[in-house]
Amino acid sequence: MSESNERPDGPDRPTAETEELAQQVEELERKSATASRLFDVRRLIGGLFLAYGLILVIVGAFDSDAEIAKAEDVRINLWTGLGMLALGLFFVVWQLLRPVRPPSAEELAEAMDTGQGQGGGHGQGQGRPDDH
């Protein structure tokens, strides 16, 4: 009546079921990485700054003399637009050079274990050690 959990071909040999499960996990990790890159706040902020900066550069390039005189002879729309373009490019380049990497399953499990060991995961003991 004693049942063994070991398979006749050995517990370490992968089965078709575990291989299929591993493929599903890899596919979900790829989708998660794509979603996190798509909704990265740096991309959204950079895109907005680029769009509004481009609008201001176009408006500033065609400012009339009266509008320039009103701004004390400064092409304020042009300079502000150029600044916004530079900031937008900074955010987009930053996002491209340092993309978001979602945590792996092992990292999530480790974080859960660490959080439960330090106060049950309710915000207690989760700060930096020098905060106390």
Side-chain angles (χ1 to χ4, degrees), residues 29 100-115:
E29 286 176 349
V100 173
R101 182 187 60 87
S104 66
E106 294 84 22
E107 291 170 339
L108 286 174
E110 182 180 323
M112 292 289 286
D113 291 341
T114 304

Side-chain angles (χ1 to χ4, degrees), residues 9-30:
D9 54 355
D12 294 335
R13 294 192 52 147
T15 63
E17 184 177 297
T18 57
E19 288 176 8
E20 181 181 335
L21 184 60
Q23 288 175 349
Q24 289 176 352
V25 168
E26 288 176 12
E27 181 181 342
L28 287 174
E29 286 176 349
R30 277 194 304 272

